[in-house]
Amino acid sequence: ISERLAKVATSTLLNDEVVDLRTILNEDCTLSILTFDDDEGKGAYRHTTSHIMAQAIKRLFPSAKLAIGPSIENGFYYDIDMDRNFTPDDLEAIEKEMAKIVSEDLAIERFELPREEAIRLMEEKEEPYKVELIKDLPEDAVISFYRQGEYVDLCAGPHLMSTGLVKAFKLTSSSGAYWRGDSNNHQLCRVYGIAFPKASMLDEYLEMMEEAKSRDHNKLGRELELFTTVDCIGQGLPVLLPKGAKIVQILQRWIEDEEAKRGWQLTKTPLMAKSDLYKISGHWDHYKDGMFVLGDEEKDDEVFALRPMTCPFQYQVFLNRQRSYRDLPMRLSETSTLFRNEASGEMHGLIRVRQFTISEGHLMCTPDQLEDEFAQCLDLVKYTLKTLGLYEDVSYRFSQWDPENTEKYIGTAEDWDEAQGVMKTILDDLGIDYKIGIGEAAFYGPKLDIQIKNVFGKEDTLVTIQIDQMLAEKFGMEYVDKDGQKKNPYIIHRTSIGCYERTLALLIEKYAGAFPTWLSPVQVKFLPVADRHQDYCREVMSKLQAAGVRCELDDRSEKTGFKIRSAQMEKVPYMIIVGDKDIEANTISVRSRKNGDEGATSVDEFLSRIVTEIATKAR
């Protein structure tokens, strides 16, 4: 290979498996050299940096115990068992020691050990978490280690050839994390970092993170009084304040109206049900840990649970009477409030919460209707996300089952092969550019997940469309087909805008709180120059409000400049400033968020302009 490629190579794709550059080739193979430009290449680079960080921590804090230290999409972390939390001064000291390790340019060597020797090595090094990991490995697993200087770590790799190849890094934060993500286990210290092959790339990233902090919905949403959280209510249970509730109301009304135009029928179903319902659907066996259960199965005759999804409830609409092929497709939609018992460490503002509201829908159809109905569901999603300005930020994931962990799912391998084959055909016919996510399917069927990243680069699912051919049979859902035979319908589970709380969070970050006019909780702020101008402001406000424009009057006894700055901080799209000249000329002075001072105009002209802007959902 070229000398330039050799310098930037981080790892290798060997027969579709990512391995070290140190791997010996002793037979014919397919080979690709990976660099930092490749996702897998980034992983090797950042994984090496996590080991350098762990080595630095062990040098500075010899009693620290190491857990796991993977590369992640936006960097790396290492979980450490310490007798105290890391301070900012600690992180600075660790960075300095990491720089020293890099300058030492230690060779990184890989070696393997039999299970008993591997356990003995980690016991000698007093690393109990590593011992536990080794004992949990399959009997036939290859147990590999990496050594750099005095530091040895249990690891599958891959890694760079030496520590000196890491050029730029920064430790970004530290937090708590439970061992293996289980709140019943010991809490560890997690240190996050980022690494790049060039200092300029690191500087660019840090600048981007500063911008992200200014857009963080957790910060902005509170400053703009859109939502708050209260300790005595509970984690993951945000309170939407009037302005945040108004945005969600606007979105809900828009989505419900749009769904109705497309043939969806609205339902209203209970927020809870007896365990009997969830046992039929399979949620009791496959999702119980994620549910809020009310009662004790051993003591109570009836045990209820708050619903984590709406599907088994909406199926009762189909089951209300005998159905024929003429009833299909049956499209049922609901603005559903759901409850999921998320782990405390997973909570994040409005992105991941324990109670949320979703634009949920379930569609029953015949096999020959499936592809067209799926395409229409996707068309609805594209319309909503394009209107919101989020579509350019999303990617697609074809979420499939994990055949190595079949206990997580209902149905046979044949059922899954058929369902995934049908979905693959549909996605390919529609020309969807997707990645495959093994193990990301629902327990009852494959799905198309529409993914989006927040300002910090953390990816979450925004919208999902699922194909299900299993739950209809479990619930006894049948229709009489043209041939007089009873058959189970296909079911499409879908959302059209996803979770409203998560969507609100993403909109806050997308627009840095400066929402498009149609979404702004306050669209026009009236700023009278003096008290004598208030009556005229109220007169104009009434005319705008009658046309559906959301207005507020700032009647405080403050200077006009102060009121303007306040409205700018609130990110209001339009300010109307009223003084003596405006009253004399029967005009208003308009100041817009986009253009600044626009001068005087007639009330009717401004009204026509803003009503059109709202109606067209202009951005």
Side-chain angles (χ1 to χ4, degrees):
I1 62 175
S2 70
E3 185 176 345
R4 179 183 176 279
L5 180 57
K7 285 182 178 179
V8 298
T10 65
S11 52
T12 302
L13 193 62
L14 176 64
N15 294 332
D16 296 324
E17 180 184 359
V18 182
V19 299
D20 282 330
L21 291 169
R22 58 180 63 76
T23 303
I24 295 172
L25 305 181
N26 51 23
E27 60 184 13
D28 287 347
C29 60
T30 58
L31 181 73
S32 298
I33 304 299
L34 301 174
T35 72
F36 195 84
D37 292 334
D38 304 294
D39 289 342
E40 300 93 336
K42 283 186 178 72
Y45 193 96
R46 289 169 173 171
H47 196 179
T48 299
T49 316
S50 79
H51 276 216
I52 293 172
M53 179 178 74
Q55 183 178 10
I57 289 172
K58 290 292 286 186
R59 284 183 177 182
L60 297 172
F61 307 96
S63 63
K65 308 300 179 190
L66 304 178
I68 58 171
S71 65
I72 53 177
E73 186 175 3
N74 292 299
F76 60 88
Y77 69 79
Y78 217 115
D79 287 344
I80 311 289
D81 190 351
M82 288 273 292
D83 56 4
R84 63 176 177 82
N85 294 327
F86 287 108
T87 66
D89 287 343
D90 290 334
L91 298 187
E92 187 176 338
I94 295 167
E95 280 186 0
K96 287 181 180 178
E97 191 63 33
M98 289 173 68
K100 182 179 177 183
I101 293 168
V102 169
S103 67
E104 291 170 10
D105 194 19
L106 302 172
I108 300 175
E109 303 167 344
R110 183 182 188 275
F111 63 94
E112 298 173 5
L113 289 177
R115 179 181 297 268
E116 294 307 316
E117 288 186 39
I119 291 173
R120 188 160 54 250
L121 174 62
M122 290 295 99
E123 286 177 339
E124 289 172 358
K125 290 185 172 292
E126 298 182 348
E127 297 290 0
Y129 298 100
K130 303 295 183 181
V131 171
E132 182 178 332
L133 289 171
I134 295 170
K135 289 180 177 180
D136 286 348
L137 290 172
E139 287 296 326
D140 59 349
V142 174
I143 302 174
S144 59
F145 295 84
Y146 282 81
R147 178 188 290 115
Q148 53 197 53
E150 82 286 357
Y151 174 77
V152 176
D153 202 347
L154 172 73
C155 188
H159 284 283
L160 303 180
M161 300 299 285
S162 73
T163 62
L165 295 172
V166 174
K167 301 302 180 184
F169 55 85
K170 177 73 178 175
L171 302 188
T172 53
S173 65
S174 64
S175 64
Y178 292 108
W179 170 233
R180 292 189 155 176
D182 187 341
S183 59
N184 295 315
N185 289 338
H186 187 63
Q187 189 171 47
L188 309 173
C189 297
R190 175 171 293 180
V191 183
Y192 288 96
I194 191 71
F196 292 94
K198 295 180 181 178
S200 60
M201 295 171 71
L202 175 61
D203 291 341
E204 184 180 335
Y205 175 83
L206 295 176
E207 186 177 330
M208 184 181 72
M209 284 298 100
E210 285 304 310
E211 169 68 14
K213 288 178 185 177
S214 70
R215 289 175 173 265
D216 181 8
H217 83 275
N218 246 329
K219 172 177 178 288
L220 265 181
R222 297 169 199 273
E223 291 175 356
L224 296 174
E225 296 189 351
L226 299 175
F227 77 95
T228 188
T229 51
V230 184
D231 287 343
C232 63
I233 290 178
Q235 192 178 17
L237 299 169
V239 175
L240 291 184
L241 301 175
K243 290 180 180 179
K246 173 55 68 175
I247 295 174
V248 170
Q249 182 190 56
I250 294 164
L251 292 172
Q252 286 182 6
R253 288 177 173 175
W254 167 52
I255 291 299
E256 287 182 356
D257 288 345
E258 184 61 34
E259 288 173 341
K261 290 177 189 175
R262 295 174 183 241
W264 289 83
Q265 301 178 78
L266 190 65
T267 67
K268 185 76 172 175
T269 58
L271 299 181
M272 68 177 76
K274 295 193 297 184
S275 60
D276 305 46
L277 181 73
Y278 304 116
K279 287 174 182 176
I280 297 172
S281 66
H283 288 97
W284 204 254
D285 292 331
H286 296 274
Y287 202 80
K288 186 179 176 183
D289 289 345
M291 298 165 65
F292 288 101
V293 177
L294 311 175
D296 187 327
E297 287 185 275
E298 296 181 2
K299 298 178 181 178
D300 301 324
D301 293 334
E302 290 185 331
V303 175
F304 289 77
L306 299 175
R307 64 180 184 186
M309 56 275 293
T310 314
C311 43
F313 296 84
Q314 284 197 324
Y315 296 163
Q316 309 311 310
V317 178
F318 181 95
L319 290 165
N320 187 51
R321 61 175 172 83
Q322 179 63 58
R323 302 294 176 180
S324 83
Y325 71 93
R326 297 181 188 277
D327 295 313
L328 305 181
M330 177 182 285
R331 307 181 187 97
L332 303 176
S333 65
E334 184 164 335
T335 302
S336 305
T337 298
L338 305 179
F339 306 86
R340 295 185 183 174
N341 191 11
E342 301 278 6
S344 59
E346 297 295 320
M347 299 296 105
H348 177 58
L350 298 177
I351 293 283
R352 193 169 290 275
V353 292
R354 287 178 169 148
Q355 176 185 310
F356 56 94
T357 302
I358 192 169
S359 58
E360 196 164 15
H362 298 90
L363 185 152
M364 280 60 73
C365 65
T366 64
D368 61 317
Q369 294 168 337
L370 184 64
E371 181 164 350
D372 183 58
E373 291 299 322
F374 190 98
Q376 289 187 47
C377 290
L378 185 57
D379 182 70
L380 172 59
V381 171
K382 286 182 176 180
Y383 163 71
T384 60
L385 297 185
K386 285 178 179 178
T387 303
L388 293 172
L390 297 175
Y391 185 70
E392 57 265 33
D393 302 322
V394 304
S395 60
Y396 293 101
R397 183 180 71 195
F398 180 8
S399 295
Q400 304 180 2
W401 83 319
D402 181 359
E404 301 297 321
N405 294 286
T406 56
E407 71 281 355
K408 292 170 55 180
Y409 310 94
I410 62 174
T412 64
E414 291 74 20
D415 292 331
W416 280 91
D417 288 343
E418 181 181 348
Q420 291 182 171
V422 168
M423 192 161 191
K424 183 180 187 305
T425 298
I426 292 174
L427 296 180
D428 291 345
D429 286 349
L430 294 174
I432 303 299
D433 182 15
Y434 57 81
K435 292 183 178 179
I436 291 176
I438 300 297
E440 299 293 341
F443 70 83
Y444 49 79
K447 53 182 179 162
L448 176 66
D449 286 325
I450 300 178
Q451 304 292 105
I452 194 166
K453 295 179 181 178
N454 68 12
V455 287
F456 294 105
K458 171 71 169 60
E459 184 174 271
D460 283 293
T461 300
L462 178 59
V463 172
T464 185
I465 306 174
Q466 306 170 16
I467 290 179
D468 169 18
Q469 63 177 29
M470 301 187 204
L471 290 184
E473 182 177 357
K474 290 178 74 70
F475 276 91
M477 298 167 67
E478 296 178 332
Y479 67 95
V480 179
D481 207 354
K482 295 176 183 178
D483 58 7
Q485 299 296 310
K486 288 186 175 181
K487 299 177 182 178
N488 301 124
Y490 267 97
I491 301 174
I492 298 176
H493 305 239
R494 70 100 186 105
T495 58
S496 49
I497 195 176
C499 164
Y500 285 100
E501 289 82 358
R502 182 173 292 178
T503 300
L504 174 57
L506 293 164
L507 289 171
I508 293 169
E509 296 181 349
K510 173 76 174 182
Y511 295 106
F515 303 105
T517 301
W518 73 279
L519 271 179
S520 294
V522 178
Q523 295 164 324
V524 179
K525 195 95 166 184
F526 280 81
L527 311 179
V529 175
D531 289 349
R532 63 181 180 274
H533 306 128
Q534 289 186 21
D535 288 343
Y536 183 77
C537 285
R538 290 190 174 92
E539 180 184 329
V540 178
M541 272 181 63
S542 296
K543 191 169 184 178
L544 267 60
Q545 288 170 332
V549 181
R550 295 183 291 277
C551 306
E552 274 189 4
L553 173 66
D554 187 344
D555 57 2
R556 294 176 297 173
S557 298
E558 299 284 356
K559 293 182 179 180
T560 303
F562 179 85
K563 292 181 179 181
I564 289 173
R565 286 191 294 275
S566 294
Q568 288 173 331
M569 292 293 290
E570 294 174 26
K571 303 183 185 291
V572 177
Y574 291 99
M575 291 171 253
I576 291 180
I577 303 166
V578 173
D580 292 334
K581 290 183 179 179
D582 297 294
I583 296 175
E584 291 169 7
N586 196 29
T587 59
I588 51 175
S589 296
V590 177
R591 185 180 184 91
S592 75
R593 189 175 60 200
K594 184 182 294 186
N595 303 321
D597 187 3
E598 296 185 2
T601 187
S602 71
V603 175
D604 288 343
E605 185 177 342
F606 176 75
L607 179 58
S608 174
R609 167 187 170 181
I610 193 169
V611 166
T612 300
E613 185 177 340
I614 294 167
T616 58
K617 296 180 173 58
R619 289 192 276 127

